[in-house]
Amino acid sequence: MTRPKLGLRGVRVERSGRTILAVEELDVFPGEVLAVVGPNGAGKSTLVSLLAMLERPSAGEVLFDGEAVRGGLLAYRRRMAVVFQEALLLDTTVESNVGSGLALRGVPRAERERRVRRSLGRFGIESLARRSAHTLSGGEAQRTSLARALALEPEVLLLDEPFASLDEPTRRTLIDDLDRALSETGTTAVLVSHDRSEALRLGDRVAVLIDGRLRQVGQPSEVFAAPADEEVAAFLGVETIVPGLVRSLDEGLAVVEVGGGHVEAASTLPAGSEVLVCLRPEDVVVGPAAAPTAATSARNRLSAVVRRVVNTGPQVRVELDAGFPLVALITKQSLEELGLAEGSPVVASFKATAVHLIPRHAQRGGPSA
Amino acid sequence: MDLIWDGIREAFRLIFTGNGEVYEIVLLSLTVSGAATGMALVIGLSMASLLAFRAPPGRTLVLSFLNSGMALPPVVAGLVVAVMLWRTGPLGQLHLLYTPAAIVVAQAVIATPVVTALSAAALQTLHPRLRLQILALGASRWQAAWLLFREARLPLLAAVMAGFGAAISEVGATIMVGGNIKGSTRTLTSATVLEVQRGNFETAMALSFILLALVYAVNLYLTVLQQRRRAS
């Protein structure tokens, strides 16, 4: 197993007698993007502060390259970079801002200028180089902040809700640019967000933080399909999220290979795209396996086996195996009428328009790399 | 009106005929008040940084004391410093009373609350996470302080101007601890008081004009510094 780049062991952070973060174990592996999701006030920013060596834990150890962090934190900080929700730019030009971290770290001028130029280009803000940072729009400012962080060529990039203050179109293009930058540079990153779609989009692994505790860490499909407990499920929303590959695209209908089978989805992503196939459990219709096939508009009809039935109040979550984990939400009445139990063969159907495809970058690093 | 014109004429005469005593007084005023402002800055910026960035318990209480300190009557400050420096006082061993150093201390006592309170307010206008961002960029403690001061330079230079203004315009404490000794502790303000007492209104006015011109020159320089276009 690869040695983790960053790690926490038995860490606690206390403020005025209250424990606001308690993490037994967390590892960030070289080259991976770890997405930490959780509701507001879960301790996500404190986690970033710890990992960024901006504060020390009340107890426990922070590991860097497998070694416990000892002594001054400045040397560690100079190997990492942090992007906050607010761009927090200095009152100078865009290019000076992008070069500011390099200047603080004593990088020689020629090298600094080279890296600033490249980083400005990476985020498409060369034309803003001479502008005063305080005249930028929110999106431009956050681009500058990201460019400033990437110019440092950090060993670990920490992102604390970097897109939370942006409007939707800006957010989407900036996420694309960051995704590309991370893939191209192979930078190890930790993305903290309250938005699970960002975690899905960028994270190679997902960690769920609620009330200052890590509830679950794993592959996105694993975490979303099988939440560790009800609180995690409630925060994430139970969904089917499985990796797939677009095999063909014809007039807005994509055929996606998933777990040996095929799923049809309304999409514009070209063949060859790696995707996450997302499906809301309330969109999945469960029927008896032996029932005659009636003509419907549901493009997807998959044979499946019931793996688990979980009562969640008035509705029942049925976890199916259709060659890949598939979750359906049905009423108690339907459950009884269909006589579903573990091992029952069923047919799961859903419309192509109910399937949501999220494009994925090529696999970066990760614990098993 | 004649009195005013005579005063102005006398001021020019004193400045341009190379009156040694006046130059001495101007130089002393500038060095003493400059040093006092410098001391106030060192203490004030350190305290203001602590108050603004570390948010220690009791911050509001401390700030309220400092804000009241801006209205500290100079004679009270002078009295306290005089008692401290008195031959039999706690710092009597230093033999500072009736020296320029004593005036520096007294003016610093007056300017420090002004500089501290205004600097704390200035630094508190910065985004609370800017300091963390600067540290995360790899700044050492000193680099971070310098960058934060630069970010707040507009209100910080206003604090410097207010501190310098409080120091150089002070007279009560200056006479109390300096003694207004000719050639040693006579400043523009204490000399003006003396000339008025003697009935030499032209000289007093001349000294006042010089003082005003001096204060303007210093503040002009600080204002230019403050308003200068952001370096790229």
Side-chain angles (χ1 to χ4, degrees):
Chain A
M1 195 149 173
T2 324
R3 188 173 66 169
K5 190 75 209 166
L6 262 183
L8 299 180
R9 295 288 180 274
V11 156
R12 297 171 72 80
V13 175
E14 283 167 17
R15 291 221 184 104
S16 21
R18 212 167 59 88
T19 302
I20 55 170
L21 188 72
V23 176
E24 272 321 303
E25 186 176 337
L26 179 68
D27 286 319
V28 184
F29 294 94
E32 79 165 333
V33 177
L34 175 71
V36 180
V37 291
N40 290 327
K44 301 193 297 291
S45 289
T46 307
L47 183 71
V48 170
S49 274
L50 277 183
L51 294 174
M53 316 283 172
L54 290 168
E55 71 175 291
R56 291 177 197 270
S58 314
E61 274 183 339
V62 180
L63 310 181
F64 194 98
D65 276 343
E67 310 261 333
V69 167
R70 303 246 186 274
L73 298 179
L74 179 61
Y76 293 102
R77 283 203 292 267
R78 288 189 169 174
R79 297 168 70 177
M80 296 191 276
V82 186
V83 174
F84 290 101
Q85 178 175 345
E86 310 83 8
L88 300 170
L89 300 176
L90 300 173
D91 184 15
T92 173
T93 61
V94 168
E95 61 184 350
S96 296
N97 264 289
V98 174
S100 59
L102 294 167
L104 288 169
R105 294 176 190 202
V107 174
R109 179 179 280 271
E111 169 72 2
R112 205 158 75 205
E113 283 172 359
R114 193 181 63 77
R115 291 214 224 163
V116 167
R117 260 199 315 279
R118 196 172 51 194
S119 211
L120 287 170
R122 184 159 266 152
F123 287 94
I125 47 172
E126 304 100 317
S127 60
L128 303 178
R130 311 246 167 212
R131 277 263 295 277
S132 160
H134 285 187
T135 64
L136 300 177
S137 70
E140 290 167 342
Q142 199 58 304
R143 273 177 190 280
T144 306
S145 179
L146 282 165
R148 174 172 67 179
L150 262 306
L152 294 169
E153 296 175 7
E155 291 175 46
V156 183
L157 175 63
L158 300 159
L159 303 144
D160 188 356
E161 299 270 13
F163 312 113
S165 313
L166 304 177
D167 58 76
E168 189 47 37
T170 309
R171 197 177 78 103
R172 222 172 305 131
T173 53
L174 201 46
I175 288 177
D176 286 344
D177 288 350
L178 175 63
D179 187 20
R180 197 174 321 113
L182 289 177
S183 296
E184 282 171 12
T185 56
T187 307
T188 308
V190 177
L191 167 76
V192 154
S193 174
H194 69 281
D195 185 319
R196 61 210 187 102
S197 72
E198 282 173 14
L200 275 173
R201 177 77 175 74
L202 294 167
D204 297 310
R205 285 192 306 144
V206 173
V208 184
L209 187 71
I210 295 176
D211 288 337
R213 280 161 178 79
L214 277 181
R215 300 299 185 84
Q216 196 170 3
V217 184
Q219 303 294 321
S221 49
E222 207 174 284
V223 173
F224 279 82
D229 57 47
E230 284 311 313
E231 262 186 300
V232 173
F235 175 70
L236 293 177
V238 188
E239 272 201 25
T240 295
I241 295 166
V242 282
L245 181 67
V246 177
R247 279 290 173 210
S248 67
L249 177 71
D250 185 27
E251 288 182 24
L253 188 68
V255 176
V256 187
E257 191 182 305
V258 185
H262 288 90
V263 164
E264 292 187 23
S267 170
T268 54
L269 290 171
S273 303
E274 290 197 41
V275 292
L276 282 179
V277 178
C278 305
L279 190 57
R280 299 176 65 82
E282 50 270 44
D283 290 335
V284 178
V285 175
V286 180
T293 312
T296 70
S297 63
R299 305 259 344 149
N300 295 291
R301 288 177 56 80
L302 307 175
S303 297
V305 177
V306 176
R307 280 276 167 255
R308 199 153 80 110
V309 177
V310 186
N311 272 300
T312 55
Q315 290 178 321
V316 181
R317 196 169 93 217
V318 183
E319 296 178 10
L320 304 169
D321 180 358
F324 56 90
L326 180 65
V327 183
L329 202 60
I330 62 175
T331 58
K332 272 201 176 112
Q333 287 82 351
S334 296
L335 181 80
E336 283 160 17
E337 282 172 26
L338 292 169
L340 296 183
E342 274 176 35
S344 307
V346 293
V347 169
S349 50
F350 46 91
K351 297 166 72 166
T353 49
V355 182
H356 176 54
L357 299 183
I358 294 179
R360 292 282 291 177
H361 44 73
Q363 192 69 20
R364 280 179 283 248
S368 52
Chain B
M1 273 312 277
D2 279 356
L3 203 59
I4 295 173
W5 284 118
D6 289 347
I8 295 174
R9 215 172 298 126
E10 178 68 5
F12 275 97
R13 196 187 63 77
L14 285 177
I15 294 167
F16 293 109
T17 57
N19 183 308
E21 195 189 338
V22 170
Y23 280 135
E24 219 169 75
I25 291 176
V26 169
L27 196 67
L28 183 75
S29 290
L30 266 182
T31 21
V32 162
S33 299
T37 311
M39 268 176 77
L41 260 180
V42 171
I43 301 168
L45 280 179
S46 323
M47 273 179 72
S49 303
L50 195 78
L51 288 166
F53 301 129
R54 292 293 158 94
R59 172 164 73 174
T60 308
L61 189 71
V62 174
L63 282 173
S64 70
F65 280 134
L66 288 168
N67 288 329
S68 308
M70 290 203 282
L72 178 72
V75 284
V76 175
L79 177 65
V80 171
V81 174
V83 168
M84 298 292 280
L85 298 182
W86 198 254
R87 231 175 327 115
T88 53
L91 299 175
Q93 300 292 316
L94 300 174
H95 302 292
L96 287 179
L97 201 61
Y98 304 131
T99 66
I103 309 180
V104 172
V105 173
Q107 289 190 356
V109 168
I110 291 158
T112 298
V114 176
V115 174
T116 311
L118 294 180
S119 299
L123 294 177
Q124 281 183 291
T125 61
L126 295 174
H127 193 287
R129 286 218 263 187
L130 182 61
R131 184 171 155 272
L132 286 183
Q133 174 73 81
I134 288 173
L135 289 174
L137 283 172
S140 66
R141 213 170 277 248
W142 291 109
Q143 286 175 320
W146 171 247
L147 281 179
L148 288 163
F149 293 161
R150 215 179 62 176
E151 285 301 296
R153 68 184 172 281
L154 234 83
L156 277 184
L157 280 166
V160 176
M161 287 185 246
F164 179 75
I168 199 158
S169 63
E170 203 291 315
V171 61
T174 300
I175 293 176
M176 230 185 273
V177 304
N180 202 12
I181 302 165
K182 185 177 175 183
S184 162
T185 58
R186 186 161 296 172
T187 65
L188 278 167
T189 51
S190 63
T192 306
V193 170
L194 185 73
E195 296 302 332
V196 170
Q197 282 167 346
R198 284 175 176 169
N200 295 337
F201 289 107
E202 287 99 346
T203 317
M205 286 188 58
L207 292 170
S208 298
F209 282 125
I210 294 169
L211 178 61
L212 284 178
L214 206 63
V215 167
Y216 178 71
V218 170
N219 281 298
L220 176 68
Y221 171 71
L222 291 174
T223 309
V224 169
L225 206 65
Q226 184 191 43
Q227 301 295 329
R228 198 167 52 184
R229 199 58 219 117
R230 290 84 170 100
S232 57

